[in-house]
Amino acid sequence: MSGHSKWATTKNKKAAIDAKRGKLFAKLIKNIEIAARTGGADPNGNPTLYDAIVKAKKSSVPADNITRAVKRGSGEEAGGANYEEIVYEGYAPGGVGLIVQCLTDNRNRAAADVRSTLSKNGGSLAENGSVSFNFERKGQIIVPADSADYDSLFEKAAEAGAEDVEENGDSYIITTAPSDLVTVRKALQDEGVDYDSAETSLVPLNEIELDLEAARKVNRLIDALDDLDDVQNIYANWTASDQVLQQLEDDE
């Protein structure tokens, strides 16, 4: 009986992992379609598409899925959805500000899902501008820590025009002005530096430090939002001590 129970638990965990992977793949495919539609199907002439494809490959999206997404986005193949970008602002427990970016083919569904998820998890929608004023757009390049030495990477990134290089666990985050993102990425590639992703992001100007209980509540809300099919990116202005962050990691 215990063996059956253990197997059932293992199957459930695998199903959850597979579901997460499926949702991630769908989001990455959407990014590729949009990039191809707005900038053309040639990644060499479309940096946004180039980086979207790299990110998808790094996440193990099958090559055939990527190729079909480019074709749908460029109109070479039928079946592409008419996605539009919608941005919602809101608050999580503890007064944490949230910016939720959606790519959707159904505006009403996206709005209802985001509003309901916020409400069920102790959050709420906010007026446009009431949260976004505390964020600024930056370019961010994620480099695996095992592929570069920090001092060497910092020197190369700074020479290319990067603003900062930050250690973040098993990776480095290189921050640039949005207009310098592609230049810095190309310079690092020319130096043989591998990277996981290169894209614009919203970085908070001020952060709220949370204790463990509040961080768990915010995490649950962000996870629930991230599970929505229409949600592409979520930005939040919270931070926590190393001990709290480690406990959150242990919870998973």
Side-chain angles (χ1 to χ4, degrees), residues 8-28:
T9 301
T10 302
K11 284 199 299 182
N12 288 337
K13 285 183 178 178
K14 182 181 184 303
I17 292 170
D18 288 346
K20 284 282 188 182
R21 183 181 293 114
K23 288 182 180 295
L24 174 62
F25 282 12
K27 292 180 181 185
L28 294 171

Side-chain angles (χ1 to χ4, degrees), residues 69-242:
V70 173
K71 290 181 177 180
R72 286 196 301 271
S74 64
E76 184 180 342
E77 183 177 296
N82 186 26
Y83 295 118
E84 63 175 319
E85 182 177 10
I86 309 173
V87 178
Y88 299 99
E89 298 181 30
Y91 290 105
V96 170
L98 298 173
I99 297 180
V100 183
Q101 293 180 340
C102 297
L103 277 178
T104 183
D105 56 358
N106 187 322
R107 175 182 286 267
N108 291 335
R109 179 189 65 218
D113 286 349
V114 170
R115 183 182 295 108
S116 173
T117 301
L118 285 168
S119 178
K120 290 177 180 177
N121 291 276
S124 60
L125 279 175
E127 295 290 330
N128 287 343
S130 60
V131 173
S132 57
F133 80 93
N134 190 37
F135 290 78
E136 61 180 342
R137 188 169 295 278
K138 292 289 184 181
Q140 288 194 328
I141 304 168
I142 309 299
V143 174
D146 60 5
S147 69
D149 170 74
Y150 175 82
D151 291 334
S152 174
L153 180 64
F154 186 94
E155 182 178 350
K156 291 172 182 175
E159 287 179 356
E163 296 178 353
D164 192 22
V165 180
E166 177 188 0
E167 294 186 66
N168 185 41
D170 57 359
S171 63
Y172 301 117
I173 301 176
I174 301 170
T175 301
T176 76
S179 57
D180 292 335
L181 175 64
V182 175
T183 300
V184 174
R185 186 260 287 168
K186 286 182 176 178
L188 293 176
Q189 283 183 295
D190 289 343
E191 293 288 338
V193 176
D194 187 28
Y195 74 102
D196 285 339
S197 66
E199 56 194 350
T200 57
S201 181
L202 294 176
V203 179
L205 297 171
N206 297 289
E207 295 179 312
I208 298 172
E209 183 163 353
L210 301 179
D211 59 23
L212 180 58
E213 182 180 356
R216 280 172 169 160
K217 290 178 181 178
V218 173
N219 240 17
R220 281 195 293 270
L221 170 54
I222 290 175
D223 283 346
L225 287 168
D226 195 44
D227 280 341
L228 298 177
D229 291 339
D230 293 319
V231 172
Q232 286 293 108
N233 297 298
I234 304 164
Y235 303 101
N237 69 326
W238 72 277
T239 187
S241 67
D242 290 343

